Amino acid sequence: MPKQSTRHTYRSRRERNSVAGRRAKQIAFFVLLIGLLLILRNWREHWAYLETYFNGL
């Protein structure tokens, strides 16, 4: 029986999906965090827009 290669890590579909899901969650978290920081950085401009928009209702 031939030896299995030690250079490659053979993973099941479940293991590959779990790694991909974890990376997708991390990317989504950092994108949301950066978006929140950008909104907080210019909060006066966003507040003025919302105030103007909802003032006419």
Side-chain angles (χ1 to χ4, degrees):
M1 185 178 250
K3 261 182 119 175
Q4 184 174 349
S5 174
T6 56
R7 289 184 178 197
H8 301 286
T9 56
Y10 296 99
R11 294 189 177 128
S12 67
R13 182 184 297 263
R14 171 182 271 177
E15 290 170 334
R16 286 192 309 255
N17 285 341
S18 70
V19 170
R22 188 169 59 243
R23 287 182 182 158
K25 286 178 191 175
Q26 289 174 344
I27 290 170
F29 173 74
F30 284 113
V31 165
L32 287 173
L33 184 66
I34 290 171
L36 182 65
L37 289 175
L38 287 174
I39 288 173
L40 288 175
R41 187 175 133 206
N42 297 325
W43 69 272
R44 287 189 176 133
E45 294 176 17
H46 295 293
W47 177 254
Y49 171 76
L50 290 173
E51 191 176 29
T52 305
Y53 180 76
F54 287 113
N55 197 15
L57 294 178

